[in-house]
Amino acid sequence: MTGSRKQRSWHAGAGLGTGLLLCLLLPLVGVWLAGEPVGQYWEFPPLTRYVQHAPFSWPAFVLIGLAVAGLVAPLVAGLVRGGRQVRGSEAGPTGAAFPVWGWAGLLLTGVAWILAWTRLEWFAGFQRHTFFPLWLGYILTVSALTQWRTGSCRMLRRPFHFLLLFGVSAAFWWFFEYLNRFVQNWHYMNIAGVTRLEYVTLGSVSFSTVLPAVSATEEFLESFAAVRRGFSGGRRWHVPHPRALAGIVLALAGVGLLGIGVLPDLLYPLLWVSPLLLILGSSVLAGRSTRLDAVPQGDWRPVAVPALAALVCGFFWEMWNVRSLAAWEYSVPFVGRFHLFEMPVLGYGGYLPFGIECALIADAVSAIPDRVLFTATGKVKSVWVRAVGAVCAVLALVTAPFMICVRNAERAWHDRPDYQAALAAGAAEWVEGEIGADDFKTGDPLFDGEWLFGTYMMSAMGHGQAALNGVQDPSTALARMEQCFEKMRAAEVRQFDARSWGSDPLESLESDDHHHAAYLGYQNLALSLAREVERRARLAGLAPTGFSEESREWNRRITRALARRLEQSPTLLLQTYPNEHYPVDNAAVISSIALYDRGTGQPARDLVRQWMTRCRSRYVDPEWGLLIQAVYPDGAPLDGPRGSGTLLGAYFLAYADREFSRELYAAARRHLARSVLNFGLVREYPPGNWGLGDIDSGPVLLGFGVSSTGFMIATTRIHGDFVYFRQLAGTAHLAGSPYRDNGRLNWLTGTPIGDAILFAMFTAPKADVLELEGLP
Amino acid sequence: MKLLRCWMWTGNVAGAAICLVGYVALRHWLAAEKGAAQLLSLASDSVPVALIGAAAYVVFRVILVVLLPPLIALALWHRFSDGMSCSER
């Protein structure tokens, strides 16, 4: 690097700082001065479209077209002139072989391109992440071409400086993302469900390729004599009063940025132009050298080649974007016609100033003195080695594990039949097999029995929900549910409840002495769901089979008994076991009654409304909005609010009162939901409260409960929270360790009840399905 | 630090291979045993086998899924950073 170029670069860095600061502040100040809300610009990830763009306009199109043509024409003229000058004498490659790493780059680009433009089933989970490998391959390929042609390239000549460009590039493009908030000229598609941390990390990784790509392309273009000569002997352009002009340009750019958020339709071109004007203007005013210094002598290379390089990159950005999953779309005022890929053709004009901006930033990075980066022996200083190593490790830690674990989440969210069928088959295996209470080792025969019963109950819920979601044939689902009902009614399965009460829950339905809230409530919810599946199937014109008369009769009798017992209870709560009152179990009871009413075509009875009112006022903790886990016989709180009870209750109540369910879910989301490395984890107790795990919560590790985390999966589906659903699905994948075999999906670290619960959670119907009459 | 470097330079390949082989073997064994439900049943008969197997599986899974990506990133970076001398001094 020559001394003057070094000096120019260093000065550019100083001008850059001033320019960037102005660009950051001015748009916000403008919006604030105009008295408009600034909060919308902080939405993250940006999903809301708040700028309404002007429609296409021919006069504006012609005007802007002329301006763009005025910029492009000299570039074309320079290339033509250079081509004529070197006709036949353009030097070819140096004779050295094309570098091996160049072939690797080419291969990487080719593979990434195929993956980006196809939708291969096995790659679906990673489909959003093709941008970085595509562009890494491009950078390697273009650098290898330069190396091949000239025997040298920036990437090998100054590898660490080149590497730093990746980091700077990420920050650089975030800056344009920031300016885009004010004009909304582009937006990203298929990013629903992405967490903030994912958006930051994966966005940064993608953005990191921008500067290296433009820089490598600039160097590659400069390896052609036609380009060098075409732009070095151009028109001499002498500005008579450069400082005065710089002052005017600076003022205009500043005022423009001030108004960009207020008049986005008129001032949007400033997004690309004003950073350049501010950087150059401030540099000229400060007497620093700029990339325009050689222009009076007719040397346009420092500005023309990077502009051209950005245009070349722009072509590939837009081309690869067009069929990629995580793509962007443009909304450009007045000129939104005549697209080349997604970009209106005049939009390519923005790449010209952008290329020069890229060159200015690259200059600033190149100007970092070697003494700052290297030791006396020429090695990278250890502080930098550690810093870059730490960044790489943190990025890998934050991105890779979650990316691996969340790859099936979208299939689960979108009710893909193959996924739900595999879950159904995994759960059905336990129902069809011969398991007993002895297969559970909770340490208490009561809980062993509960878990066996729960396995059948949750399996039945899963099958019924798969039918509601339209991914399982109603007759198949009802037949599988019927298997679960038969198992649940088996004497050895209901033994746990009968032993606790000293009376059989089914044989004592006509007596109200013993409530049997859990056994009857949970089973009845599944029975009522079967009735609802059958009703909807009939509304859809089907004639479903599988729901037996015997089960139908049990549903009727249990509903009648539960409703009668509730009406007699002063607290509107039934006992799960003698003198044990759990609001969550009663949520199953009341939801089973409400669903029965719906399944039989009756309006919901008053009892349901009364119960909801009572529960809201008495059994929801006023401080946290969460369901109290256990209460005394008089209804006073015995235990505090808990995640497991609240979220299981919110799941059940979605069948009876979606608004109440949503309130409980919202409280849990606010107070209990957390995220670690993107993985969703749900607290069992509200912040500041601690407790040990029990049979309801499962193991509680660092305050996070297994049950509360699992139950929340269903409520995220019901209430449309795709972002947190993905996070929880990632956790389920990591901790549950799914295993697919012969069309079945089992969770290796779960138990039969784990398989059944996750089946029910992953098939919980979304609000729109719950509201349907008929099947989707 | 030395230990970390040792892992990165010499142990990472062997370590990753051991993790991978152990993980896959345990995964197949667990699947054949119908998951942890059977493991829990086994626990009453042969506690050490079941518990050690389950614990090893969880450890291998955490290493492979959560810890290995950053370790690979670090190892790659250390491999390349050594070659990044300043050639234009």
Side-chain angles (χ1 to χ4, degrees):
Chain A
M1 182 183 270
T2 63
S4 64
R5 200 170 166 191
K6 218 174 198 174
Q7 195 182 26
R8 186 184 71 198
S9 303
W10 189 237
H11 286 167
L16 182 78
T18 318
L20 288 184
L21 197 65
L22 286 171
C23 288
L24 282 173
L25 293 178
L26 286 174
L28 267 187
V29 172
V31 170
W32 180 69
L33 286 177
E36 292 186 15
V38 292
Q40 60 192 0
Y41 304 116
W42 302 119
E43 183 192 20
F44 200 84
L47 296 171
T48 310
R49 307 280 298 281
Y50 42 79
V51 178
Q52 295 298 316
H53 293 103
F56 181 83
S57 153
W58 274 112
F61 183 83
V62 170
L63 206 65
I64 295 171
L66 286 173
V68 171
L71 290 173
V72 173
L75 289 178
V76 176
L79 285 175
V80 171
R81 187 170 56 243
R84 282 188 186 145
Q85 286 176 12
V86 299
R87 184 175 292 161
S89 61
E90 180 73 70
T94 55
F98 188 69
V100 174
W101 51 269
W103 288 114
L106 210 54
L107 182 69
L108 181 61
T109 301
V111 171
W113 191 348
I114 290 168
L115 292 173
W117 278 23
T118 52
R119 296 291 182 270
L120 300 174
E121 188 67 32
W122 60 269
F123 191 70
F126 304 101
Q127 194 68 54
R128 279 203 191 104
H129 311 298
T130 51
F131 187 93
F132 181 77
L134 258 176
W135 280 92
L136 184 64
Y138 173 92
I139 292 161
L140 288 172
T141 306
V142 173
S143 294
L145 284 169
T146 309
Q147 172 80 13
W148 186 46
R149 288 180 54 78
T150 65
S152 166
C153 72
R154 201 169 284 165
M155 193 182 82
L156 294 188
R157 219 166 41 241
R158 309 191 81 202
F160 193 65
H161 278 92
F162 195 77
L163 185 74
L164 286 182
L165 268 188
F166 281 83
V168 175
S169 177
F172 174 66
W173 188 260
W174 276 117
F175 168 73
F176 285 95
E177 291 287 330
Y178 167 74
L179 284 187
N180 186 49
R181 293 295 179 94
F182 298 93
V183 295
Q184 294 204 311
N185 280 171
W186 69 86
H187 61 272
Y188 296 99
M189 293 152 50
N190 299 316
I191 57 165
V194 170
T195 70
R196 287 178 183 178
L197 185 58
E198 268 188 297
Y199 193 78
V200 170
T201 50
L202 296 173
S204 298
V205 168
S206 296
F207 302 161
S208 73
T209 56
V210 172
L211 284 181
V214 175
S215 185
T217 308
E218 180 192 359
E219 193 185 23
F220 174 64
L221 291 176
E222 278 205 88
S223 74
F224 291 90
V227 173
R228 290 196 301 275
R229 288 196 199 167
F231 295 120
S232 59
R235 182 180 294 275
R236 292 165 186 258
W237 188 38
H238 182 70
V239 179
H241 303 289
R243 288 174 64 85
L245 182 64
I248 293 168
V249 161
L250 202 62
L252 285 176
V255 171
L257 276 180
L258 208 58
I260 198 170
V262 185
L263 297 167
D265 275 355
L266 290 179
L267 299 175
Y268 73 90
L270 287 177
L271 185 148
W272 301 110
V273 179
S274 58
L276 178 64
L277 297 181
L278 286 172
I279 295 165
L280 287 177
S282 57
S283 295
V284 170
L285 279 181
R288 294 187 289 259
S289 62
T290 72
R291 278 198 164 234
L292 294 176
D293 288 352
V295 168
Q297 286 77 49
D299 185 359
W300 289 82
R301 282 178 302 172
V303 289
V305 181
L308 206 56
L311 204 55
V312 172
C313 289
F315 174 81
F316 286 104
W317 274 316
E318 304 303 336
M319 181 188 71
W320 281 326
N321 171 60
V322 78
R323 290 185 62 184
S324 294
L325 182 67
W328 58 86
E329 270 186 351
Y330 291 99
S331 313
V332 188
F334 303 121
V335 297
R337 281 193 196 169
F338 311 111
H339 292 75
L340 176 57
F341 310 119
E342 282 297 334
M343 172 78 103
V345 71
L346 289 187
Y348 285 85
Y351 281 117
L352 303 177
F354 177 68
I356 304 171
E357 282 151 6
C358 289
L360 290 172
I361 306 292
D363 284 348
V365 173
S366 297
I368 299 171
D370 286 348
R371 68 174 185 283
V372 175
L373 303 177
F374 301 101
T375 64
T377 57
K379 293 283 182 189
V380 180
K381 283 183 175 176
S382 61
V383 63
W384 289 106
V385 172
R386 286 178 189 167
V388 177
V391 169
C392 291
V394 168
L395 269 180
L397 184 67
V398 170
T399 56
F402 187 66
M403 201 188 291
I404 292 166
C405 292
V406 82
R407 63 184 186 275
N408 286 321
E410 295 202 18
R411 298 163 79 189
W413 178 262
H414 294 298
D415 298 334
R416 288 284 296 273
D418 62 331
Y419 192 77
Q420 293 202 359
L423 285 169
E429 191 189 10
W430 297 115
V431 178
E432 288 159 5
E434 290 302 319
I435 56 169
D438 290 347
D439 289 310
F440 298 91
K441 304 288 178 188
T442 63
D444 186 326
L446 172 69
F447 298 138
D448 292 344
E450 272 189 3
W451 283 26
L452 178 65
F453 168 74
T455 301
Y456 299 131
M457 185 269 176
M458 284 294 181
S459 290
M461 294 299 291
H463 290 302
Q465 292 168 167
L468 290 187
N469 294 332
V471 298
Q472 188 161 227
D473 167 63
S475 294
T476 309
L478 288 170
R480 284 177 160 172
M481 292 176 88
E482 190 60 38
Q483 277 185 312
C484 297
F485 299 148
E486 284 170 14
K487 297 269 184 176
M488 276 190 270
R489 289 197 295 265
E492 60 270 25
V493 175
R494 63 181 202 257
Q495 195 178 38
F496 77 96
D497 186 75
R499 199 178 291 157
S500 295
W501 278 101
S503 66
D504 188 278
L506 295 180
E507 288 170 6
S508 60
L509 281 180
E510 303 311 320
S511 151
D512 295 334
D513 296 340
H514 296 165
H515 290 166
H516 303 279
Y519 175 83
L520 293 179
Y522 284 57
Q523 180 178 185
N524 200 47
L525 182 60
L527 284 165
S528 297
L529 180 61
R531 194 180 282 274
E532 174 68 0
V533 168
E534 193 179 56
R535 185 185 72 91
R536 288 194 187 195
R538 290 207 171 117
L539 284 173
L542 303 172
T545 57
F547 190 33
S548 72
E549 276 306 320
E550 187 185 357
S551 291
R552 209 185 303 270
E553 180 59 15
W554 279 117
N555 183 215
R556 190 187 62 76
R557 289 186 60 200
I558 295 173
T559 302
R560 196 176 58 193
L562 289 174
R564 193 180 60 241
R565 290 170 188 175
L566 271 181
E567 282 162 357
Q568 291 171 7
S569 166
T571 57
L572 281 184
L573 291 180
L574 302 185
Q575 299 170 40
T576 293
Y577 300 119
N579 293 316
E580 294 184 31
H581 298 75
Y582 302 100
V584 59
D585 294 342
N586 282 270
V589 169
I590 199 69
S591 298
S592 79
I593 296 170
L595 198 54
Y596 174 87
D597 288 347
R598 189 170 177 177
T600 51
Q602 306 171 47
R605 61 191 82 189
D606 273 352
L607 177 66
V608 175
R609 190 182 46 75
Q610 288 166 17
W611 192 91
M612 299 302 163
T613 307
R614 178 70 63 88
C615 187
R616 274 191 176 99
S617 63
R618 293 291 305 274
Y619 311 129
V620 171
D621 183 85
E623 183 183 0
W624 300 103
L626 304 169
L627 204 60
I628 292 165
Q629 194 82 354
V631 299
Y632 286 107
D634 65 355
L638 169 65
D639 193 359
R642 301 259 299 264
S644 53
T646 300
L647 289 159
L648 185 60
Y651 164 59
F652 292 151
L653 289 170
Y655 286 104
D657 184 336
R658 274 189 293 290
E659 183 51 31
F660 189 19
S661 168
R662 194 197 58 74
E663 289 166 19
L664 292 174
Y665 168 70
R669 182 75 164 94
R670 189 161 55 248
H671 300 301
L672 305 178
R674 299 288 183 272
S675 169
V676 177
L677 299 176
N678 281 318
F679 290 97
L681 293 166
V682 181
R683 294 179 60 89
E684 175 63 11
Y685 300 91
N689 297 275
W690 293 89
L692 296 172
D694 58 17
I695 197 67
D696 294 330
S697 68
V700 175
L701 301 171
L702 302 172
F704 300 113
V706 170
S707 298
S708 49
T709 303
F711 293 147
M712 194 148 197
I713 292 172
T715 52
T716 53
R717 277 181 58 90
I718 292 164
H719 299 293
D721 186 351
F722 186 29
V723 174
Y724 204 56
F725 172 83
R726 284 182 76 243
Q727 297 185 262
L728 294 169
T731 307
H733 194 286
L734 179 65
S737 190
Y739 186 90
R740 272 180 181 253
D741 181 38
N742 205 19
R744 291 189 307 267
L745 195 158
N746 293 102
W747 304 83
L748 287 186
T749 57
T751 55
I753 196 172
D755 281 350
I757 288 176
L758 284 175
F759 176 36
M761 300 299 110
F762 275 110
T763 52
K766 295 172 190 161
D768 56 341
V769 170
L770 280 169
E771 284 163 15
L772 275 180
E773 291 293 321
L775 295 171
Chain B
M1 203 60 197
K2 271 187 178 175
L3 193 66
L4 189 65
R5 272 190 171 271
C6 182
W7 157 262
M8 285 173 191
W9 284 108
T10 58
N12 58 348
V13 175
I18 290 169
C19 280
L20 196 61
V21 170
Y23 175 79
V24 171
L26 278 168
R27 190 172 166 81
H28 276 90
W29 176 64
L30 279 173
E33 296 294 333
K34 296 284 190 297
Q38 299 300 328
L39 257 188
L40 290 169
S41 304
L42 279 172
S44 58
D45 307 326
S46 51
V47 173
V49 175
L51 290 187
I52 291 169
Y57 177 75
V58 172
V59 169
F60 285 149
R61 185 168 176 81
V62 169
I63 289 175
L64 279 171
V65 178
V66 179
L67 296 181
L68 209 56
L71 284 174
I72 289 171
L74 269 177
L76 283 173
W77 164 239
H78 278 273
R79 166 74 186 78
F80 282 110
S81 67
D82 268 14
M84 283 194 180
S85 55
C86 173
S87 56
E88 265 202 348
R89 293 179 58 74

